[in-house]
């Protein structure tokens, strides 16, 4: 951290407090307020962490105004074009891209951990078949700590490493099992001569009675979805994982807490909502109805939002959305669906919105979810599984961030304070006198 001078706070009766200002390598400077409470007796108030850097991190950088996303300094566009998902996993975990030998060894180790304990497979039988797959995911991933307790010493770097491999390798198996369980098909064991994404597609869509044929275009599309969702700095689920981990909780429990947070519709559930919006609009008349729909979106009384548009951090085109649009075109072409009405509708909607003053003045651009639902639907992934795929992709980001936190000497248990505005101290009245 660069020392960038001091910020001075005036408070009370002419008192002042000087606080250090630090700069990172890029991005806004921060004011170090750690001494604030001790020196002034005051807290800061920042619900939603709009102005709070909760940690220092070297993993992911977003410039929301410029529409830039970097993993370990590399632009997402280059990673999505030149690397596969496991290369990106290696990068996020280790800070550098692997050379050929490192990549081979990393891929081999992941492949050796793809199976789950046979008794864990039996755990699924305890869930109702109509459970939401994310409910199953939260339970089963949390249960991993009951099966792999030989690697739960978080102070031991080799335990952390083996847990990381187990999570990255087993998540596709668990996601596919959650899907197969929901449709009543037999679980497919992983096949380790396939690459990571092909293996996942086979476990999702293969059946024991037939050979599964891997389609490289579809596999590449899935791999790209995983890359684009692998990390996104201190978002809600990542902050949840860090907070859970700050108490010393084991990595499987921490990742389960991240999955639980991701399940929320304001976080991982938005691609489902964007796809549903397009399907509804299609039913109501499609491209013909775009202008009317946009009018409704602009009317604050309608309660209608353009799902897949806008972002808390990006005030420019989300770089992931551009890549997802490109992938969408490739997948639809491969499947002979170049006239897919939903894709046409999405493009028409995007065009109208990008030219409209309402969206321009508020800097509302398509986000990653605008096209990812169409791609996943074309791959045959049912809507109920969208957030599971997201959690599979984000697991590596969560682990990298968790590991960074554990290794950070400045790490403390996460314990925010509050502005209490409830009742002041009072006595418990006898029951007979209570209103
Ligand atoms: N449709 C219509 N109006 C919108 C939209 C939208 N999608 N998004 C924001 N606005 C308006 C909002 O009403 C407000 O207008 P005004 O200034 O007149 O009150 C203005 O734009 C600023 O919006 P905000 O709610 O203050 O922005 P925010 O940063 O708090 O919210 C958001 C960001 C993502 C929650 C919001 O844009 C939204 O709800 N978008 C639709 C849902 C969606 O696509 N979510 C996925 C996000 S990407 C997932 C990821 O990165 O993991």
């Amino acid at each position: 951290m660069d020392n960038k001078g001091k910020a001075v706070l005036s408070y009370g009766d002419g008192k002042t407090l000087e606080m250090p200002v630090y700069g990172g390598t890029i991005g806004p400077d921060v004011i170090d307020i750690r001494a604030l409470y001790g020196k002034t007796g005051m807290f800061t108030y920042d619900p939603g962490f709009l102005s709070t850097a909760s940690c220092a991190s070297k993993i992911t950088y977003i410039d929301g105004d410029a529409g830039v996303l970097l993993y370990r300094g590399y632009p997402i566009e280059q990673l999505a074009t030149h690397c596969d998902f496991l290369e990106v996993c290696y990068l996020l975990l280790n800070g550098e891209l692997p050379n050929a030998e490192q990549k081979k060894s990393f891929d081999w180790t992941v492949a050796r951990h793809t199976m789950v304990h046979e008794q864990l497979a039996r755990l699924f039988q305890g869930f109702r078949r109509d459970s939401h797959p994310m409910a199953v995911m939260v339970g089963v991933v949390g249960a991993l700590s009951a099966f792999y307790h030989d690697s739960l010493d978080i102070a031991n770097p080799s335990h952390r490493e083996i847990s990381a491999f187990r999570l990255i390798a087993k998540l596709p198996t668990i996601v596919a099992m959650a899907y197969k369980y929901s449709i009543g098909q037999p679980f497919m064991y992983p096949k380790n001569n396939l690459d990571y994404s092909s293996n996942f597609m086979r476990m999702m869509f293969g059946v024991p009675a037939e050979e599964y044929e891997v389609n490289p275009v579809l596999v590449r599309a899935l791999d790209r979805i995983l890359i684009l969702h692998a990390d996104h700095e201190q978002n809600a689920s990542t902050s949840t994982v860090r907070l859970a981990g700050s108490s010393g909780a084991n990595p499987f429990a921490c990742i389960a807490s991240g999955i639980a947070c991701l399940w929320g519709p304001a976080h991982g559930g938005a691609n489902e909502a964007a796809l549903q919006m397009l399907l509804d609009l299609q039913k109501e008349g499609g491209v013909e109805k775009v202008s009317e729909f946009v009018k409704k979106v602009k009317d604050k009384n309608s309660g209608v939002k353009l799902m897949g548009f806008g972002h808390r951090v990006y005030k420019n085109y989300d770089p992931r959305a551009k890549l997802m649009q490109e992938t969408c075109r490739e997948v639809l072409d491969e499947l002979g669906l170049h006239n897919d009405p939903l894709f046409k509708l999405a493009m028409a909607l995007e065009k109208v919105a990008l030219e409209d003053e309402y969206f321009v003045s508020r800097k509302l651009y398509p986000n990653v979810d605008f096209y990812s639902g169409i791609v996943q639907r074309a791959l045959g992934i049912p809507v109920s599984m969208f957030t599971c795929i997201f959690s599979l992709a984000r697991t590596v980001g969560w682990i990298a961030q968790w590991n960074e936190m554990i290794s950070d000497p400045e790490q403390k248990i996460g314990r925010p304070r509050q502005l209490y505005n409830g009742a002041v101290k009072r006595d418990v009245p006898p029951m007979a006198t209570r209103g």
Side-chain angles (χ1 to χ4, degrees):
M1 283 193 281
D2 282 349
N3 218 321
K4 291 272 196 93
K6 303 217 176 305
V8 181
L9 172 76
S10 310
Y11 67 101
D13 245 353
K15 292 184 209 145
T16 57
L17 174 69
E18 283 193 348
M19 292 169 291
V21 174
Y22 305 127
T25 42
I26 30 176
D29 296 340
V30 299
I31 304 171
D32 180 350
I33 60 163
R34 281 176 290 185
L36 183 72
Y37 178 58
K39 295 264 171 66
T40 68
M42 289 191 288
F43 299 140
T44 55
Y45 180 62
D46 186 18
F49 303 112
L50 295 184
S51 298
T52 297
S54 61
C55 61
S57 180
K58 291 181 169 40
I59 302 173
T60 292
Y61 175 74
I62 304 173
D63 181 339
D65 293 323
V68 168
L69 170 61
L70 311 176
Y71 292 165
R72 300 284 190 181
Y74 294 110
I76 191 68
E77 293 82 355
Q78 292 184 28
L79 294 169
T81 310
H82 302 302
C83 301
D84 69 18
F85 177 63
L86 283 188
E87 253 171 292
V88 171
C89 289
Y90 185 101
L91 172 70
L92 288 169
L93 292 169
N94 299 298
E96 295 299 334
L97 284 165
N99 61 28
E101 206 175 299
Q102 289 163 331
K103 164 121 178 71
K104 201 170 155 208
S105 153
F106 187 80
D107 289 6
W108 187 89
T109 310
V110 170
R112 297 277 99 47
H113 286 285
T114 51
M115 291 204 299
V116 294
H117 194 291
E118 201 57 24
Q119 232 162 296
L120 188 92
R122 269 188 256 147
L123 203 65
F124 282 84
Q125 316 301 327
F127 290 97
R128 286 170 53 135
R129 293 261 179 206
D130 61 357
S131 310
H132 193 288
M134 281 297 276
V136 176
M137 292 288 297
V138 173
V140 174
V141 173
L144 287 174
S145 42
F147 289 88
Y148 302 102
H149 35 69
D150 58 338
S151 62
L152 297 185
D153 177 5
I154 61 160
N156 182 333
S158 64
H159 278 214
R160 298 208 297 271
E161 187 183 35
I162 184 76
S163 294
F165 274 118
R166 282 175 168 156
L167 279 158
I168 292 166
K170 293 182 200 311
L171 253 287
T173 314
I174 294 171
V175 169
M177 287 167 108
Y179 174 53
K180 289 297 195 191
Y181 185 71
S182 74
I183 57 171
Q185 285 189 3
F187 296 149
M188 293 289 284
Y189 284 110
K191 205 169 177 193
N192 290 342
N193 60 346
L194 294 176
D195 63 75
Y196 191 83
S197 292
S198 301
N199 203 358
F200 176 62
M201 292 282 271
R202 181 182 164 277
M203 287 191 286
M204 282 285 286
F205 302 119
V207 288
E210 285 170 17
E211 273 306 306
Y212 178 75
E213 267 185 47
V214 173
N215 178 322
V217 176
L218 305 191
V219 166
R220 180 71 196 138
L222 176 83
D223 207 67
R224 184 173 266 196
I225 290 174
L226 301 185
I227 292 172
L228 298 186
H229 289 86
D231 196 45
H232 216 220
E233 49 117 314
Q234 308 310 320
N235 55 83
S237 57
T238 301
S239 300
T240 302
V241 170
R242 277 186 177 257
L243 197 55
S246 75
S247 72
N250 74 68
F252 303 110
C254 293
I255 301 304
S257 74
I259 295 174
C261 177
L262 188 73
W263 192 3
H267 193 2
N271 52 11
E272 192 174 326
L275 180 66
Q276 197 52 53
M277 174 193 74
L278 291 172
L279 289 166
D280 291 346
L281 187 55
Q282 183 63 24
K283 246 189 252 156
E284 285 161 23
V287 177
E288 306 276 283
K289 295 284 175 175
V290 163
S291 304
E292 204 178 299
F293 179 70
V294 169
K295 225 183 257 168
K296 225 190 280 174
V297 169
K298 295 192 296 183
D299 173 6
K300 294 283 180 197
N301 299 319
S302 71
V304 178
K305 267 192 173 181
L306 183 48
M307 298 311 287
F309 254 69
H311 197 276
R312 170 59 62 79
V313 181
Y314 293 114
K315 301 301 170 197
N316 201 327
Y317 211 105
D318 177 343
R320 302 168 302 169
K322 274 199 197 109
L323 292 156
M324 199 48 83
Q325 190 197 58
E326 192 182 295
T327 297
C328 198
R329 192 169 278 122
E330 279 167 23
V331 166
L332 296 174
D333 279 354
E334 172 67 15
L335 297 172
L337 298 172
H338 24 266
N339 285 323
D340 180 53
L342 230 47
F343 185 53
K344 288 206 160 145
L345 181 58
M347 301 272 284
L349 202 48
E350 178 187 328
K351 187 168 184 303
V352 171
L354 290 181
E355 285 165 2
D356 192 295
E357 203 278 329
Y358 174 94
F359 297 93
V360 174
S361 63
R362 288 171 179 77
K363 300 186 175 165
L364 300 171
Y365 294 87
N367 61 51
V368 67
D369 292 325
F370 196 62
Y371 289 103
S372 71
I374 307 178
V375 179
Q376 293 195 58
R377 182 171 176 261
L379 295 181
I381 298 168
V383 172
S384 61
M385 291 301 296
F386 284 6
T387 320
C388 297
I389 306 287
F390 193 162
S391 65
L392 154 54
R394 186 56 58 85
T395 291
V396 64
W398 289 330
I399 304 168
Q401 300 269 354
W402 171 82
N403 219 353
E404 184 177 67
M405 181 196 63
I406 303 285
S407 323
D408 182 352
E410 300 210 327
Q411 188 263 329
K412 280 187 176 343
I413 186 167
R415 197 348 180 149
R417 306 304 292 258
Q418 63 172 6
L419 171 64
Y420 177 70
N421 57 7
V424 294
K425 184 169 179 259
R426 51 188 173 159
D427 295 323
V428 176
M431 182 71 82
T433 66
R434 294 181 209 166

